[in-house]
Amino acid sequence: MTRINVTVDGASYSDDVEPRMLLVQYLRERLGKTGTVIGCDTSNCGACTVHLDGTSVKSCNVLAVQADGHEVTTVEGLATDGELHPVQQAFHENHALQCGFCTPGMIMQSIDLLKENADPSEEEIRLGLEGNLCRCTGYHNIVKAVQAAAGGSR
Amino acid sequence: MTVTDEVSTGSTGGPREVGSARRRKEDQRLITGRTKWTDNIQLPGMLHIAMVRSPFAHARITHIDTSAAKSAPNVVTVLTGQEVSEEQGVLANAWPITPDQVAPVHPPIAVDRVTFAGEVVAVVVARSAAEARDAAELVDVDYDELPAALDLKEAAEDKVLAHPDLGTNKSALWVFDSAEAGTGGAVDEAIDKARTDGIVLEREYRQQRLIPAFMEPRSVVVDPTGEQITMWSATQIPHILRYLLAATTGVSESKIRVIAPDVGGGFGGKLQSTPEEWITFLAARRTGRPVKYTETRSESLMAAHHGRDQWQRLTLAATKDGTVTGLKVDLLADLGSYVSLVGGGVPVLGAFMFNAIYKFPAYQFKVQTVLTNKAWTDAYRGAGRPEATFAIERLMDELAHELGVDPLEIREKNWIKHEEFPFTTVAGLEYDTGNYEQATAEAKRIFGYDELRAEQQRRREANDPVQLGIGVSTFTEMCGLAPSRVLGQLSYGAGGWEHASVRMLPTGKVEVITGASAHGQGHETAWSQIVADRLGVAFEDVEVLHGDTQISHKGLDTYGSRSLVVGGEALVKAADKVIEKARPIAAHLLEASVDDLEFKDGSFGVRGTDKGIAMADLAAAAFTGHNLPDGVEPTLDSDATYDPVNFSYPHGTHLCAVEIDTETGGLTMRKYTAVDDVGTIVNPLIVEGQLHGGLVQGIAQALFEEAVYDDSGTLVSASFVDYLVPTAADTISFDLGTSVTPSTTNSLGTKGVGEAGTIASTPAVVNAVVDALRPFGVSDVRMPCTPERIWKAIHTGGGTEPTEKDAMPHFDENDVADRTDGASA
Ligand code: FES
Ligand code: FES
């Protein structure tokens, strides 16, 4: 067991974790942050995407101990004072989700994408989301939502 | 998208909810992570399961040593099939397609023999998932490997038996013949005639094996504490699941509660009763503690059911001018090692759709279902209908090519004209409405069909290394499964009705309970729109409940594009009953005669006066019961169970343009236009979303996905590294258009949209690929049309496989003289 100190969605936690525990397992099982989900075992689907110190990572690809001393943001920490993040709002407005299982990862990745490139082309959006799989939407409305969020923040 | 004026909105005259692009109610919790996936559930003292799965496709289990696993830290118990064979129940097939269907018994945990790689042989139950997984490694299983039946065609010849004790791999032969059914002529006569004086096309097509690949892995939690045993499962079918658990385990149905909480996609893949559910149920009952099992993605790809996997042998007869005269279909369908819940019913669902929108006078369909040592197959988005649509739409292109005419022209020549509806097809179905001309004209306009054809011509003449291909698919499908009587005739084990309840709460809010079970479709939103219109209440005041057998006690769940068409109609009927129950109470309180009342905008008014009373006040009056007319029940709550009278028949015209680099085989999709007629549109946003997602799944079959087994029966594509679910970078944005002919089989006029995109798009894409390669003599590319296959097709000149030769021996080996040669055209 190793002791870690992490900030998740603004709250600080101190826990003893097994060295092999993945960050996504820590978030889900220890902190009850079940908004972040697991869709694969090969780091392909992106469903588990969160921000580590403001940059998107696949949390199934990071050990909980590696988050020690860092700040994690999940989809549950995006809305402030009941106000949705613009990307969350854009997903809703553009019907960019159906079952919603990929959605937390997609939103986190989209925010990161827009941080890197505030005015992406359709192609840049598609390439930027390549590591996140969605089986429901065919990506059409996800791309539209990211475009809308980019337009809105301009 | 637009909505016609023919929408029925009940008695209100206010602004209509039906037809408006309401943003979804269910989004709020999904975009903020306040979700309830099965895997989120944690209960006090909960145990966790890890499965030990067979690495072999076919083997006898000679010995299982569980002692090391049992003594591992925090392991509670280890179960083997031998130990639990009496109590584990069986997995049922609900649709024996013929009375003599051969079907092996399917135990949740294999007892003495494993029949596919991935089958469960032992189950470890421990205090944590990690400890269960660690201990699973310690279970020592001895196998005696047996020869495995892997190749579908070889399996059909019984060379190697998937289940030696059954004596054959052939499960069932199901036949429809229009001459026997009295719905058309004799197909062999039509083919004979065409051989001497017409056109005969003989083709063989492959429907590769696919994996539904829903994003949420399957998960199940069973809590045996309390009076009812509660199962949460990532399922599409909580009601059917509850029934089957009771029927096969001996536990009373009334002691079982099944809940489908948030479910992360299904696409038919969660239309199943699974070994994992039965095992978790068993483990919970044995240990008396809550138990959870969540599969890994690799387990999901390996052991959750697969889809498609057919060989299709086809003969189409036509006159010299291209009028179709007969269609003969011969399928081999791979069941995998067990006959699943729907099983052989999947190809049978396609039996009525091969003739599609065309006026074939004679038709024959045969399917031989075959057992192999691979994962079982069952419904995958479209279930039977994509296979049928692919075959006929590929054939229509071949016929056009044979005659040297535009593929849309040959279709128009043969399709049912809009003034000919209702039309009874050669398969015996009555298509109620449709307008293929209108949808096609609109699709051509949006696509820029004539311009793209001109560009194609220019590039061909210039020998451009990048060639343009244009693919067409004018499809229909049968939705709204299904009239119970028809299901009975087909020997399906249940009915096809749906149930709805409307509860009028004393505060004026409305609770709607539906027997459909959404997993991404947006029922909460669409059902709210329907009720808001019907009862004149606010959209926001309607709450839709579903997916819990203790709340929604009656239902047949969600699949086959049935929820809106069947479940929506049940809802309309329940809402109308509420109005009728409220009417005498309104008359009493308004001191008027019932005959003088009219219901409008959520209120009863007395004709010719300004007196009126709102639905909310009537709900409150019923709740207090203080002042009701004599003999009137103090409630407005109403139920309805609706059994559809017919299927519904959405249709559409899909056009696809691809560019193929003939030097590399690389493919780029340039444009995809779809004009669909799904009847009345309740919510255009949801309809478009269903189409987008459906299109990508159909395109994925054409270009990317295939479940591949190696020679020993191991699934090679058992992770997302190898099973190529398309990413955002693999796909394009789509141009959608609408054409609306409301269905006459339900009062809203809806037709269903869940599967349309998937059914239509696969042949549109493959037709585009073949169209681009026609100058190279290519007449077919097997799916998925990978760059390698495309390159080979170009460089071997001619179809990648000589499909005509493969199809021939199946029909008439002696008469080959008049065969038209599509393969070398
Ligand atoms: S769970 Fe699939 S990438 Fe992390
Ligand atoms: S919305 Fe279902 S996987 Fe993306």
Side-chain angles (χ1 to χ4, degrees):
Chain A
M1 290 281 178
T2 312
R3 164 128 316 210
I4 59 169
N5 295 294
V6 276
T7 306
V8 179
D9 296 337
S12 25
Y13 299 87
S14 187
D15 271 303
D16 291 328
V17 299
E18 271 197 63
R20 67 169 171 175
M21 184 174 242
L22 302 172
L23 177 57
V24 69
Q25 291 169 331
Y26 175 69
L27 292 172
R28 288 179 56 78
E29 293 164 21
R30 298 292 286 277
L31 306 188
K33 293 275 176 188
T34 49
T36 303
V37 294
I38 303 172
C40 75
D41 43 15
T42 49
S43 305
N44 284 94
C45 77
C48 62
T49 305
V50 299
H51 292 172
L52 190 61
D53 296 334
T55 302
S56 72
V57 294
K58 291 181 174 177
S59 63
C60 71
N61 218 6
V62 176
L63 294 169
V65 291
Q66 291 175 294
D68 183 27
H70 295 278
E71 195 170 325
V72 177
T73 308
T74 78
V75 73
E76 295 171 61
L78 289 180
T80 41
D81 304 330
E83 276 270 314
L84 292 176
H85 186 284
V87 172
Q88 287 176 311
Q89 189 64 35
F91 268 60
H92 173 58
E93 286 301 328
N94 291 281
H95 185 34
L97 60 147
Q98 290 179 28
C99 79
F101 195 77
C102 72
T103 309
M106 281 290 179
I107 288 176
M108 299 313 283
Q109 183 60 23
S110 301
I111 292 172
D112 197 50
L113 186 157
L114 290 173
K115 199 182 73 184
E116 298 288 315
N117 179 354
D119 188 19
S121 66
E122 171 167 350
E123 203 192 336
E124 285 168 335
I125 294 172
R126 287 183 175 276
L127 288 172
L129 297 177
E130 200 173 13
N132 291 65
L133 294 176
C134 173
R135 193 57 156 170
C136 298
T137 64
Y139 305 105
H140 182 112
N141 284 344
I142 292 177
V143 172
K144 259 175 66 182
V146 177
Q147 282 170 328
S153 65
R154 257 202 304 272
Chain B
M1 287 192 165
T2 50
V3 174
T4 64
D5 293 327
E6 287 154 88
V7 176
S8 150
T9 56
S11 12
T12 77
R16 279 200 303 255
E17 283 290 343
V18 169
S20 83
R22 274 282 186 187
R23 299 320 189 247
R24 296 198 321 168
K25 287 186 162 182
E26 39 280 82
D27 287 357
Q28 203 61 27
R29 67 174 194 283
L30 297 171
I31 55 177
T32 52
R34 285 185 296 109
T35 36
K36 220 161 174 64
W37 312 110
T38 303
D39 186 54
N40 296 359
I41 296 168
Q42 304 223 35
L43 298 170
M46 188 162 85
L47 304 176
H48 299 260
I49 282 179
M51 305 289 180
V52 179
R53 294 179 183 272
S54 167
F56 297 111
H58 196 190
R60 206 160 286 290
I61 302 167
T62 53
H63 182 71
I64 303 182
D65 183 354
T66 59
S67 53
K70 275 186 174 145
S71 52
N74 286 319
V75 168
V76 175
T77 183
V78 181
L79 307 173
T80 65
Q82 284 290 357
E83 268 170 52
V84 300
S85 63
E86 294 299 308
E87 58 184 300
Q88 64 171 339
V90 292
L91 298 157
N93 163 241
W95 193 347
I97 56 172
T98 61
D100 57 353
Q101 171 176 285
V102 173
V105 175
H106 188 177
I109 311 176
V111 178
D112 49 18
R113 198 166 51 90
V114 290
T115 66
F116 74 99
E119 187 160 5
V120 177
V121 291
V123 176
V124 177
V125 187
R127 287 183 55 211
S128 76
E131 286 161 327
R133 276 195 299 272
D134 288 347
E137 302 278 319
L138 304 174
V139 175
D140 195 11
V141 188
D142 292 335
Y143 297 96
D144 239 358
E145 217 183 328
L146 296 167
L150 297 171
D151 180 77
L152 172 55
K153 284 185 181 176
E154 278 174 30
E157 292 167 17
D158 284 340
K159 282 186 183 154
V160 173
L161 295 181
H163 296 271
D165 49 323
L166 296 179
T168 180
N169 294 326
K170 295 199 195 72
S171 176
L173 175 68
W174 192 93
V175 181
F176 174 87
D177 187 288
S178 64
E180 275 166 32
T183 54
V187 79
D188 286 327
E189 281 171 26
I191 293 169
D192 282 348
K193 187 151 185 295
R195 283 199 203 287
T196 52
D197 187 27
I199 300 169
V200 177
L201 297 175
E202 290 173 307
R203 296 289 183 273
E204 179 179 60
Y205 296 129
R206 169 79 178 138
Q207 289 284 329
Q208 79 269 39
R209 185 174 268 252
L210 300 174
I211 305 180
F214 34 75
M215 287 314 298
E216 180 209 16
R218 296 172 308 159
S219 180
V220 52
V221 171
V222 178
D223 183 358
T225 59
E227 193 54 40
Q228 272 78 27
I229 304 175
T230 303
M231 173 183 282
W232 290 263
S233 183
T235 181
Q236 293 174 232
I237 53 163
H239 296 92
I240 296 174
L241 184 54
R242 178 194 192 208
Y243 170 83
L244 289 170
L245 277 170
T248 68
T249 62
V251 178
S252 163
E253 193 177 350
S254 60
K255 295 290 184 196
I256 302 174
R257 173 185 190 185
V258 176
I259 301 172
D262 283 335
V263 176
F267 317 110
K270 290 174 180 168
L271 197 194
Q272 193 58 268
S273 51
T274 69
E276 292 83 358
E277 286 162 336
W278 263 242
I279 289 166
T280 310
F281 192 76
L282 172 81
R285 288 179 71 203
R286 275 226 163 180
T287 58
R289 312 246 306 257
V291 177
K292 186 199 298 193
Y293 169 73
T294 299
E295 69 185 356
T296 64
R297 176 57 60 181
S298 320
E299 286 180 293
S300 187
L301 294 170
M302 195 163 48
H305 75 242
H306 295 174
R308 314 275 199 274
D309 204 342
Q310 294 181 356
W311 280 104
Q312 309 179 307
R313 292 165 169 180
L314 309 152
T315 307
L316 182 145
T319 60
K320 274 188 181 136
D321 73 345
T323 304
V324 295
T325 56
L327 180 65
K328 187 167 170 172
V329 177
D330 233 305
L331 304 183
L332 279 184
D334 194 334
L335 294 168
S337 78
Y338 293 109
V339 189
S340 57
L341 187 62
V342 181
V346 171
V348 171
L349 279 173
F352 307 97
M353 285 285 116
F354 277 84
N355 52 296
I357 64 171
Y358 310 111
K359 294 182 278 186
F360 280 95
Y363 173 56
Q364 188 192 69
F365 171 95
K366 284 188 193 165
V367 59
Q368 174 68 59
T369 58
V370 180
L371 292 157
T372 60
N373 293 114
K374 290 179 284 185
W376 54 351
T377 62
D378 204 315
Y380 171 50
R381 205 167 191 172
R385 292 153 292 165
E387 296 92 313
T389 304
F390 180 83
I392 186 64
E393 290 304 299
R394 289 284 297 111
L395 282 177
M396 292 311 275
D397 259 36
E398 293 291 290
L399 182 59
H401 176 69
E402 189 63 35
L403 290 160
V405 300
D406 187 281
L408 282 171
E409 192 183 318
I410 202 75
R411 286 170 169 82
E412 176 149 25
K413 187 182 189 72
N414 286 292
W415 73 38
I416 303 157
K417 308 279 178 291
H418 69 272
E419 64 273 13
E420 292 173 319
F421 288 93
F423 184 90
T424 303
T425 74
V426 74
L429 297 178
E430 190 190 277
Y431 293 180
D432 58 341
T433 58
N435 191 330
Y436 310 139
E437 296 91 330
Q438 187 179 305
T440 302
E442 179 67 356
K444 281 176 80 171
R445 186 187 65 75
I446 297 173
F447 187 68
Y449 188 78
D450 297 334
E451 295 81 354
L452 281 166
R453 280 283 178 214
E455 180 186 333
Q456 176 183 47
Q457 194 54 36
R458 284 198 301 277
R459 289 204 192 184
R460 281 186 179 175
E461 281 161 11
N463 275 328
D464 192 327
V466 180
Q467 287 287 322
L468 182 65
I470 297 167
V472 171
S473 166
T474 52
F475 84 106
T476 189
E477 56 163 329
M478 52 197 267
C479 286
L481 305 183
S484 297
R485 246 186 322 207
V486 175
L487 292 177
Q489 284 159 12
L490 293 170
S491 311
Y492 179 68
W497 45 262
E498 196 45 85
H499 185 78
S501 309
V502 177
R503 294 186 198 150
M504 304 303 292
L505 305 185
T507 52
K509 307 284 179 193
V510 182
E511 262 175 5
V512 168
I513 295 138
T514 174
S517 189
H519 39 284
Q521 290 87 346
H523 291 175
E524 288 94 328
T525 303
W527 273 222
S528 298
Q529 290 178 272
I530 293 169
V531 171
D533 272 354
R534 213 73 193 176
L535 296 180
V537 295
F539 170 79
E540 295 76 13
D541 285 348
V542 184
E543 189 75 26
V544 179
L545 308 174
H546 62 83
D548 176 346
T549 60
Q550 223 165 63
I551 293 167
S552 159
H553 69 289
K554 202 172 156 69
L556 284 170
D557 308 320
T558 288
Y559 44 87
S561 306
R562 71 186 302 273
S563 295
L564 179 60
V565 180
V566 187
E569 184 66 10
L571 180 56
V572 165
K573 293 205 167 352
D576 286 353
K577 283 186 190 173
V578 169
I579 298 170
E580 287 324 304
K581 280 191 172 178
R583 194 178 299 274
I585 301 174
H588 177 75
L589 295 177
L590 293 168
E591 294 172 341
S593 150
V594 255
D595 301 332
D596 292 335
L597 293 188
E598 59 180 354
F599 184 67
K600 201 166 169 273
D601 299 340
S603 292
F604 283 97
V606 183
R607 255 181 231 105
T609 73
D610 56 3
K611 288 206 299 187
I613 185 164
M615 198 45 112
D617 297 325
L618 291 164
F623 171 70
T624 62
H626 294 167
N627 183 15
L628 299 180
D630 289 343
V632 164
E633 255 188 301
T635 181
L636 303 182
D637 298 354
S638 297
D639 285 11
T641 305
Y642 171 70
D643 199 349
V645 291
N646 190 358
F647 296 94
S648 59
Y649 304 96
H651 71 84
T653 297
H654 288 219
L655 300 172
C656 171
V658 299
E659 289 183 347
I660 291 181
D661 184 334
T662 57
E663 285 163 5
T664 62
L667 179 149
T668 316
M669 190 170 291
R670 171 150 148 201
K671 203 171 173 54
Y672 195 107
T673 300
V675 174
D676 280 271
D677 181 345
V678 299
T680 302
I681 290 169
V682 173
N683 184 324
L685 214 57
I686 292 177
V687 164
E688 286 178 10
Q690 285 291 320
L691 285 167
H692 295 149
L695 288 174
V696 168
Q697 285 185 11
I699 291 167
Q701 176 174 13
L703 300 180
F704 306 115
E705 294 178 18
E706 180 164 21
V708 181
Y709 283 89
D710 69 12
D711 292 344
S712 60
T714 305
L715 182 69
V716 178
S717 44
S719 79
F720 278 154
V721 179
D722 299 298
Y723 191 80
L724 301 179
V725 170
T727 70
D730 297 322
T731 49
I732 62 168
S733 293
F734 305 106
D735 301 312
L736 302 186
T738 313
S739 154
V740 178
T741 56
S743 170
T744 56
T745 62
N746 63 77
S747 38
L748 293 169
T750 61
K751 294 186 179 178
V753 68
E755 296 156 297
T758 306
I759 291 171
S761 60
T762 310
V765 176
V766 177
N767 279 339
V769 171
V770 174
D771 186 57
L773 305 183
R774 287 280 186 200
F776 300 87
V778 174
S779 65
D780 192 30
V781 179
R782 196 187 285 177
M783 297 187 290
C785 303
T786 58
E788 187 190 339
R789 284 186 177 161
I790 291 173
W791 190 89
K792 277 194 186 147
I794 295 168
H795 293 270
T796 55
T800 43
E801 278 86 22
T803 61
E804 181 180 342
K805 207 165 104 274
D806 289 333
M808 265 197 301
H810 211 76
F811 304 117
D812 187 355
E813 268 169 280
N814 303 320
D815 183 13
V816 290
D818 288 328
R819 259 162 242 275
T820 53
D821 189 358
S824 62

